[in-house]
Amino acid sequence: MLSPTDLAQFQKDGYLILPNYLSSDEVASARKQITSIIDRFDSSEVSVFSTTDHSVTSTSYFVESASRINCFFEEAAFDKQGQLKQPKELSINKIGHALHDLDPVFYLISYKKELTVICHQIGIEAPSIAQSQYIFKQPGIGGKVAPHRDSTFLYTNPPSCTGFWMALEDATLENGCLMAIPGSHKSELESLRFVRNAKGTETFFIGEAGPQWNLNQMVPLEVACGSLIILHGALVHMSTPNRSRKSRHALVLHTVDGAAEWPADNWLQRPDNLPFKILDQQV
Ligand code: FE2
């Protein structure tokens, strides 16, 4: 439950940190389950996800991950011959985007009652989880995430995207914690959107980027393992590369309001047999 002070803080800054959102058992079960998913993953099924070069994401593997559990590698994971330089479990950038609906362990963690309560408290009428991502931020090679707003990638009309970033390890400046510009969610959302063509064979940006953000205003959001960071969909945020020896695992959910329109050209489209679930209707 968010206190009135929490709600005021979220409205002022566009983010809110809640320590101890996940129990140590939930953290351990998420980490154990992701290990078994990686064990079953055939690494010849390789795709690179880069948030700095989105042309790389224009593949069916990426588009189809809307309703699958797909693995995406770090750009720096490969040598010149295209072979992994380290074991696959230390090479993956992230796994997404339907862990919450397809994996029983991540289902339980994602559809916690507390999430429903928080969503209603921050004004989401019919919250549903649009995507889930397990992010590794691998030691030494964890790539940067360029400054962005999540509503650019998960747009609804009116905008309703909200991020729920859960630390599965301590996140610090050293291992590439989130950084955000407090209050940036209050400036107008630019028309830039990440979309796909009708066949789902290409993804690309449409619309116009807004004014340049002043990155000097970024503040680090260092949090302890188990913490939740709630991120307004229009908050400008990023993370730096991880050059340390420590990974920085996190589970990130993005909710949208089922009462808002989900455009047919959003990159993420679910097939009819796997629609978004409304949180209130889950156990
Ligand atoms: Fe983001």
Side-chain angles (χ1 to χ4, degrees), residues 133 145-146 148-150 153 165 178 231 235 237-238 252 254:
Q133 302 172 94
V145 175
H148 67 282
R149 289 166 140 169
D150 292 337
F153 294 89
W165 195 100
L178 278 184
L231 301 159
L235 182 77
H237 61 285
M238 58 174 277
V252 192
H254 284 94

Side-chain angles (χ1 to χ4, degrees), residues 71-85:
C71 300
F72 300 89
F73 284 84
E74 289 287 355
E75 283 183 274
F78 301 91
D79 62 21
K80 284 180 182 157
Q81 286 73 42
Q83 300 300 310
L84 290 178
K85 290 190 282 190

Side-chain angles (χ1 to χ4, degrees), residues 31-267:
R31 296 200 56 172
K32 186 170 172 221
Q33 188 69 355
I34 211 70
T35 301
S36 88
I37 288 171
I38 295 169
D39 282 347
R40 296 194 301 269
F41 172 64
D42 173 5
S43 58
S44 61
E45 196 187 331
V46 169
S47 178
V48 177
F49 182 83
S50 161
T51 46
T52 53
D53 177 5
H54 285 283
S55 65
V56 179
T57 68
S58 301
T59 65
S60 58
Y61 189 79
F62 175 71
V63 168
E64 287 166 5
S65 73
S67 53
R68 290 190 186 171
I69 297 173
N70 284 358
C71 300
F72 300 89
F73 284 84
E74 289 287 355
E75 283 183 274
F78 301 91
D79 62 21
K80 284 180 182 157
Q81 286 73 42
Q83 300 300 310
L84 290 178
K85 290 190 282 190
Q86 55 286 304
K88 62 181 178 180
E89 63 271 20
L90 291 174
S91 302
I92 296 173
N93 168 293
K94 70 171 186 178
I95 296 179
H97 289 86
L99 280 162
H100 61 296
D101 281 338
L102 299 179
D103 181 276
V105 171
F106 286 103
Y107 176 90
L108 288 177
I109 294 170
S110 303
Y111 287 99
K112 270 170 66 118
K113 278 227 163 56
E114 289 85 343
L115 184 69
T116 312
V117 173
I118 291 171
C119 283
H120 286 306
Q121 282 194 288
I122 61 176
I124 306 173
E125 196 179 313
S128 51
I129 303 173
Q131 69 171 26
S132 47
Q133 302 172 94
Y134 191 108
I135 297 176
F136 294 82
K137 206 74 162 180
Q138 301 284 6
I141 60 167
K144 74 172 184 181
V145 175
H148 67 282
R149 289 166 140 169
D150 292 337
S151 282
T152 301
F153 294 89
L154 298 171
Y155 179 76
T156 61
N157 183 22
S160 65
C161 175
T162 307
F164 294 87
W165 195 100
M166 301 166 211
L168 301 175
E169 292 183 289
D170 292 347
T172 65
L173 269 173
E174 187 192 6
N175 64 0
C177 65
L178 278 184
M179 301 186 77
I181 301 178
S184 53
H185 64 301
K186 291 182 178 168
S187 62
E188 192 181 352
L189 195 63
E190 57 275 23
S191 61
L192 190 72
R193 287 177 52 214
F194 188 60
V195 298
R196 52 173 270 185
N197 63 353
K199 286 184 181 170
T201 52
E202 282 180 49
T203 54
F204 46 92
F205 285 94
I206 57 171
E208 300 286 328
Q212 289 277 309
W213 296 310
N214 181 356
L215 302 186
N216 292 328
Q217 296 173 341
M218 285 279 177
V219 300
L221 309 185
E222 294 187 290
V223 293
C225 180
S227 301
L228 168 68
I229 309 178
I230 309 172
L231 301 159
H232 189 286
L235 182 77
V236 180
H237 61 285
M238 58 174 277
S239 63
T240 53
N242 181 9
R243 298 291 175 246
S244 79
R245 293 184 176 186
K246 295 176 190 164
S247 55
R248 194 225 62 192
H249 290 200
L251 175 66
V252 192
L253 307 176
H254 284 94
T255 64
V256 292
D257 196 334
E261 178 204 357
W262 181 263
D265 63 352
N266 272 358
W267 83 263

